[in-house]
Amino acid sequence: MEILSAERVSKTYAGARGVVRALDEVDLTVARGRLFGFLGRNGAGKTTFIKIASTLLLPTSGSVRLFGEDVVRHPNRVRERIAIVPQEGRPFYHLTPLEHIREYLRVRGVAAETANARAEELVDAMGLRPYAAEPSYRLSGGLQQRTLVAMILATRAEFLFLDEPTIGMDPFARRQVWQVIRDAARAGSTVLLTTHYLDEAEQLTEELAVVESGRILYRGTPEALKSRVGREVRLQFEGGVTAAELAPFGPVFAERGKVIVATTRSRVAELTQLALARDATFNVGPVTLEEAFLALVGRSIEEEEASA
Amino acid sequence: MSYASQARSALRICYFNGILPLWRQSTLLIAIFLTPVSFVFFLFVIAPRDLFAYGVVGGILFTALFTGNGMLNDCAYYRLERQLQQVFVASPVRSTTFVLGMALSELAFTLPAQALFFTILWITHPFGPAALAGLLAVVLLTWLMATTLGFMISTFYSQLREIWPVGTMVFSTLSVIPPVFYPIAAIPAAWQWAAFFAPSTFASQLAERSIGLATADPTGAPWLGVPGVQLLGLVGATALFAAAAAKLARWRER
């Protein structure tokens, strides 16, 4: 059953270079209880969509309904049941992680006893116990981010908007946060998550949408997106091999001194021999969401440039 | 959330945003004291002794008016730098609750300074309970007016650096240029009416009148010297700013 439905949502801004179309007639639905990922490059429109759906921003046109309520006409009915981790958010200066969670819950109308219990629970679950009594200004960026995420997840709101929730966190902390997000979804919350970490999207989301230049390019499961690459294996090379040499083997993605090729199992031996002959460092693994994302968005960019 | 819950939420915001920080970073107190105390000290040194009470009343009103500057800067900082206003928008907390909570925080910050000014005033210019009630009412109205104005202005800007000079300009204009620190009699009677363009003049006249200091006698607009009109002016300005904030402030971005 759909809990969020967006129809032809557009948002335009007046920018220095004329009108900027941040969202272009986006249609999207999210089913209740889902862990839904929203992927895209910087400036693709993810945060704009989240802001509109979470009642922070008015759309230029189109409509978004959450819990069946129009977010523009009845924002207060929606706000009773949502919570958001905003992008690049930071906690209050003087409060400790424990106080953040407790006070935010109290402000939202949660009873003192429940707020205290949930604060204790989240501080443990998010690995914040050693810092529970430290004011946030003494915490690192990653710990501050964990505090903010804990504060929001503790609400147990029916719909959670998480805009890049694990940004700036170390790999251990990210995994702790993933577990708490999974627990929230298991407990009945619907989660709409944006992230630049494709491994995070792969680990967490059951369904995702890829947005580029304000338009939805893909909507479906991560597995289905990966299958669109049409190859099962990826080889990543560092030095020794050029993108042009790898092109006959399958789609190639070059990134800061690394070259990745997605290919079929039958050609792995050939590529391995090539790498050994060139003394190149390489690794082999199954195709990930990263290749699928790069292929999808890269194709879209090429098409856009060609049409321009 | 019910109205009672919203009221409790506002007090909660005041607790963690006003009282706790004050407790944990007492240097904030010095910053809040410093400007009005400097003005009062300056007047104490250079002005005749009979004008000192005007200076202390000015310090009280300056402190109340500068809650608006604090509100402007804090709300802008939380919205633009920490993205915390967004956390409250996407929640059961209403905009009025957030604004009231933030405004109460600003009031809490100024309470020690106000206590000092009230004490100095009472020692140098003794007054009774009725005068105290009058002064407190003026301070509360001034605080309400200044904080709603501060919140409204804070929502108009998208860059923190653009906001910094705005607060100083607006609230210095309201508190230093009009007769807040000095008696209105220092302005020629024919021009006293012009001072009433600043709502802070209504506040200063009411505060000075409540402790028995000489107040306005503007020629050409004698009705501006009537206490009822002055009260109406202050209440009207407060209501106007509150209505403008309700209509124009951007709780949700456009």
Side-chain angles (χ1 to χ4, degrees):
Chain A
M1 189 189 155
E2 288 166 10
I3 192 166
L4 180 143
S5 71
E7 276 182 42
R8 301 168 70 89
V9 179
S10 295
K11 181 69 189 178
T12 54
Y13 295 102
R17 289 178 295 163
V19 174
V20 178
R21 192 168 273 270
L23 284 179
D24 190 1
E25 305 220 322
V26 166
D27 291 319
L28 188 72
T29 55
V30 176
R32 185 180 289 274
R34 277 280 156 138
L35 239 162
F36 195 97
F38 212 44
L39 308 183
R41 295 191 299 155
N42 291 331
K46 308 180 297 290
T47 296
T48 303
F49 182 82
I50 281 209
K51 280 184 161 184
I52 291 171
S54 61
T55 77
L56 295 179
L57 177 70
L58 288 169
T60 306
S61 62
S63 75
V64 180
R65 297 182 84 81
L66 191 49
F67 316 110
E69 302 283 359
D70 188 305
V71 300
V72 174
R73 284 192 207 143
H74 303 295
N76 288 343
R77 290 185 199 165
V78 171
R79 287 169 180 157
E80 295 281 341
R81 302 159 75 178
I82 64 172
I84 187 170
V85 173
Q87 193 180 62
E88 293 176 0
R90 280 285 173 269
F92 286 94
Y93 192 74
H94 289 95
L95 299 189
T96 67
L98 202 61
E99 286 168 343
H100 267 98
I101 305 169
R102 190 184 61 217
E103 293 305 324
Y104 185 59
L105 292 178
R106 295 297 309 279
V107 169
R108 288 180 63 111
V110 175
E113 205 174 311
T114 312
N116 285 333
R118 278 198 218 162
E120 297 288 345
E121 184 189 319
L122 260 292
V123 156
D124 286 330
M126 300 282 277
L128 288 165
R129 180 58 66 189
Y131 320 98
E134 290 284 329
S136 78
Y137 64 83
R138 287 203 199 128
L139 301 179
S140 68
L143 287 169
Q144 290 192 21
Q145 179 71 6
R146 258 194 272 177
T147 301
L148 195 66
V149 174
M151 181 173 118
I152 298 306
L153 291 175
T155 62
R156 297 187 184 168
E158 277 180 72
F159 203 109
L160 295 163
F161 294 93
L162 310 178
D163 198 354
E164 299 187 22
T166 61
I167 198 156
M169 289 185 198
D170 64 58
F172 293 103
R174 283 174 65 208
R175 276 155 185 80
Q176 274 176 317
V177 173
W178 293 352
Q179 192 50 49
V180 182
I181 294 173
R182 281 194 202 101
D183 291 345
R186 221 169 282 137
S189 294
T190 307
V191 180
L192 180 56
L193 164 114
T194 76
T195 179
H196 284 294
Y197 302 120
L198 292 161
D199 61 327
E200 180 164 295
E202 198 162 0
Q203 287 284 331
L204 272 182
T205 61
E206 299 158 302
E207 201 175 357
L208 53 86
V210 177
V211 62
E212 170 62 22
S213 300
R215 280 172 296 186
I216 302 276
L217 292 183
Y218 171 83
R219 192 262 161 90
T221 62
E223 289 70 31
L225 180 56
K226 282 191 283 183
S227 71
R228 290 176 110 194
V229 178
R231 313 286 196 281
E232 312 91 58
V233 187
R234 75 195 282 274
L235 283 90
Q236 181 179 300
F237 298 90
E238 277 184 53
V241 184
T242 65
E245 286 175 298
L246 295 174
F249 294 89
V252 179
F253 315 99
E255 188 192 20
R256 280 174 293 180
K258 292 176 187 170
V259 191
I260 300 168
V261 60
T263 190
T264 55
R265 284 178 198 282
S266 61
R267 305 203 70 180
V268 172
E270 242 178 295
L271 282 162
T272 307
Q273 279 175 353
L274 176 68
L276 291 171
R278 300 282 176 82
D279 202 20
T281 306
F282 73 103
N283 62 58
V284 188
V287 159
T288 67
L289 202 54
E290 190 167 357
E291 289 79 57
F293 176 80
L294 290 171
L296 182 72
V297 176
R299 207 161 37 239
S300 161
I301 295 167
E302 280 168 21
E303 282 166 11
E304 204 168 287
E305 282 170 355
S307 67
Chain B
M1 279 170 73
S2 65
Y3 287 120
S5 292
Q6 294 287 347
R8 278 196 297 272
S9 297
L11 291 173
R12 212 72 214 175
I13 293 172
C14 168
Y15 164 70
F16 72 73
N17 187 57
I19 295 166
L20 270 185
L22 204 56
W23 186 252
R24 288 178 185 172
Q25 193 188 348
S26 41
T27 48
L28 284 170
L29 275 178
I30 299 167
I32 293 159
F33 272 100
L34 216 54
T35 312
V37 167
S38 305
F39 275 119
V40 173
F41 178 71
F42 184 64
L43 288 170
F44 180 75
V45 172
I46 64 150
R49 286 292 172 270
D50 57 334
L51 295 184
F52 182 65
Y54 286 96
V56 181
V57 171
I60 289 170
L61 292 178
F62 180 96
T63 307
L65 280 165
F66 260 73
T67 56
N69 191 42
M71 183 82 171
L72 195 161
N73 286 307
D74 281 355
C75 289
Y77 178 67
Y78 286 154
R79 182 170 62 87
L80 300 171
E81 195 70 17
R82 304 223 144 206
Q83 313 290 320
L84 280 169
Q85 186 176 305
Q86 290 83 327
V87 167
F88 289 95
V89 175
S91 84
V93 178
R94 298 285 175 267
S95 54
T96 43
T97 305
F98 178 78
V99 174
L100 182 61
M102 292 294 293
L104 285 168
S105 312
E106 302 300 336
L107 187 66
F109 278 131
T110 63
L111 286 180
Q114 292 289 25
L116 176 73
F117 282 127
F118 272 76
T119 308
I120 293 172
L121 187 64
W122 185 75
I123 292 167
T124 57
H125 191 98
F127 53 85
L132 177 67
L135 268 177
L136 287 175
V138 172
V139 166
L140 287 177
L141 280 169
T142 307
W143 156 74
L144 207 57
M145 177 180 73
T147 48
T148 48
L149 181 65
F151 173 71
M152 181 173 69
I153 297 171
S154 83
T155 67
F156 295 158
Y157 290 86
S158 58
Q159 299 296 325
L160 207 54
R161 282 196 72 106
E162 293 171 358
I163 288 176
W164 290 336
V166 176
T168 311
M169 278 191 301
V170 171
F171 293 100
S172 295
T173 306
L174 282 175
S175 56
V176 179
I177 298 168
V180 171
F181 273 99
Y182 61 92
I184 196 167
I187 302 173
W191 287 98
Q192 284 183 12
W193 59 269
F196 287 90
F197 277 110
S200 46
T201 303
F202 292 111
S204 71
Q205 294 309 292
L206 287 165
E208 288 164 10
R209 185 184 296 277
S210 70
I211 58 163
L213 295 172
T215 56
D217 185 18
T219 52
W223 48 275
L224 282 170
V226 176
V229 173
Q230 291 172 351
L231 182 62
L232 204 65
L234 183 58
V235 171
T238 307
L240 185 73
F241 286 141
K247 182 80 182 161
L248 303 173
R250 294 173 188 171
W251 185 236
R252 185 199 312 228
E253 293 172 54
R254 285 172 195 161

